[in-house]
Amino acid sequence: NDFAEKAKDADGFVFGTPVHYAAASGNMTAFMDRLFYSAPKEAFCRKPAAVITSARRAGTTAAYEQLLKYGNAHRFLLHWNNVHGSRAEDIQQDEEGVRIMRVLGHNMAWLLRCIEAGKAAGVPEPRKEPLAKTNFIR
C-alpha cells in the first residue's frame, strides 16, 4: 500500500528480480500481484518502466515475460533487459549485460525528459478509450 501511494507521484519505474527456476522470485511475484491488484491504474498509466532480470545462465526471458504482463495491463511504456551471473560480483563480468543496463538508464532518462518536454509544450496525452469487455461464451 505504501508503494502504491508513492507510485502516483513517480515519473517511472524499474522492477528487478533474480530468476529462480525460469521465473521471477516469489517475493517479487507476490509484491507485483498485490501492487497491481490494488493500485489504481492511473498510478502507472503511460509511465516508463523497465523490467530487469538476473540469472546465472538461463530463464531471464521467461521471468521477463512474467513481469511484462503487469506493465501491459497498466499501460506502461516498457523496456526490458537482463544480466547473467551467479553472484552480484559475477554480473560485473557480464560486459554486454552491464552495457545494456547503462543504455537502459540513458534511455529512461531521455524518455522522461521527452515526456516532460511534451507536457511543457502542451502536447495532450492520448485519449483514454472507454473500457470494453467481450464475453466469448454465448
Side-chain angles (χ1 to χ4, degrees), residues 53-117:
T53 57
S54 176
R56 182 191 66 76
R57 188 77 184 128
T60 54
T61 302
Y64 162 72
E65 289 172 353
Q66 179 186 358
L67 296 182
L68 176 69
K69 290 165 181 64
Y70 297 100
N72 282 344
H74 284 73
R75 299 184 301 259
F76 275 167
L77 305 172
L78 285 163
H79 299 274
W80 72 281
N81 302 278
N82 57 62
V83 293
H84 293 91
S86 296
R87 300 170 301 156
E89 302 83 43
D90 296 340
I91 291 170
Q92 294 304 314
Q93 295 176 39
D94 178 5
E95 292 179 18
E96 183 178 4
V98 170
R99 179 194 168 277
I100 288 170
M101 294 301 131
R102 279 194 309 272
V103 169
L104 168 66
H106 295 305
N107 288 344
M108 289 284 288
W110 175 81
L111 184 54
L112 288 166
R113 287 191 304 269
C114 287
I115 291 169
E116 196 60 36

Side-chain angles (χ1 to χ4, degrees), residues 36 38-46 72-76 131:
F36 287 96
S38 62
K41 287 189 178 191
E42 293 75 30
F44 303 100
C45 183
R46 286 189 289 286
N72 282 344
H74 284 73
R75 299 184 301 259
F76 275 167
L131 183 63

